[in-house]
Amino acid sequence: MKALPPSLSRRRLLVGAAAASALTAVAGTAAEAAPSNPSTASTGLAGAPVARDRIAAARLLVTGVGPATANFQADLHDRLSAWLAFWSANSPPSWSAPVEVVGEPTVAGDAFTLHTLRVRRGEHLADGFTAGRRDAAHLATEASLHHHFPTVRRLSGSGLRVTDGAAAFTGSPEQVAFAAAACRELWGFAAAGTTDWRDHANRALTRAGHRADVASRAGWAAFTRASLRLGLGTESYQ
């Protein structure tokens, strides 16, 4: 596999959060591993919403409004901050950490719709992801969200919506559709579909140096991380 050199100045700010996030995604915490009661599972709904105008260090822009403060369940905001650090730590070293996130939480603050991520490339702002542009960066960002959240839905032409909760492989239609698309459009397995996606995804994992089944917790975490890096061009996995 061929990797680009890391950006140390940015990694010093982000590697701790990203590494902790990746470790949690692969190994899980004791609380997440234990059986849970759906009515008491950690979804951030136990407390009052918190008002935030940023996700991690990136300014929040609400669609049609601009810079704004929005209400989030605290758990969702924490997960979004960890996800954004993870995305940035796996992005090209020539990109800055995200400076703007365009999107909005639901009224209840327990779900978030992402429209755009902006970074600096040199002196200019650039879209590292935008929902209206179906390219490798779109699938890469979708992979990063699947790495951190149990539910990621494509909203018709208007963004990616995540629901709060611990990341896990569930075999949901959304996860299967994403994995099949990633196998076709990122990994080059043109015949991959929703019936045989698992075989193709496991071939992708082998190429990336992982011995795990994509339908396991560790395999899903490895597949989504490798798809993020491949889609953003930080590794080629040749």
Side-chain angles (χ1 to χ4, degrees), residues 209-223:
H210 297 282
R211 293 184 178 182
D213 181 2
V214 69
S216 68
R217 182 182 179 85
W220 184 248
F223 177 75

Side-chain angles (χ1 to χ4, degrees), residues 10-111:
R10 182 173 50 158
R11 276 10 176 220
R12 278 196 294 267
L13 296 175
L14 296 172
V15 71
S21 172
L23 179 61
T24 298
V26 174
T29 63
E32 289 169 355
S36 60
N37 182 329
S39 65
T40 60
S42 174
T43 60
L45 296 178
V50 295
R52 295 289 184 265
D53 64 355
R54 292 180 179 272
I55 295 175
R59 182 172 62 161
L60 176 65
L61 281 70
V62 173
T63 308
V65 175
T69 298
N71 290 328
F72 295 83
Q73 291 295 327
D75 187 74
L76 174 63
H77 190 268
D78 287 347
R79 291 183 192 276
L80 286 167
S81 295
W83 155 73
L84 194 59
F86 173 76
W87 184 93
S88 186
N90 288 284
S91 67
S94 60
W95 296 9
S96 74
V99 295
E100 291 182 347
V101 176
V102 182
E104 59 279 327
T106 56
V107 173
D110 60 344

Side-chain angles (χ1 to χ4, degrees), residues 26 168-170 179 196-206 209-224:
V26 174
F169 176 76
T170 64
D196 61 354
W197 68 275
R198 187 170 172 178
D199 291 338
H200 293 289
N202 283 335
R203 288 171 61 194
L205 281 172
T206 299
H210 297 282
R211 293 184 178 182
D213 181 2
V214 69
S216 68
R217 182 182 179 85
W220 184 248
F223 177 75
T224 51

Side-chain angles (χ1 to χ4, degrees), residues 3-11 89 91-93:
L4 296 177
S7 172
L8 295 179
S9 60
R10 182 173 50 158
R11 276 10 176 220
S91 67

Side-chain angles (χ1 to χ4, degrees), residues 112-127:
F112 182 80
T113 301
L114 174 68
H115 300 288
T116 305
L117 288 179
R118 295 194 179 105
V119 300
R120 289 197 178 278
R121 298 180 187 173
E123 298 299 317
H124 303 286
L125 277 179
D127 290 346

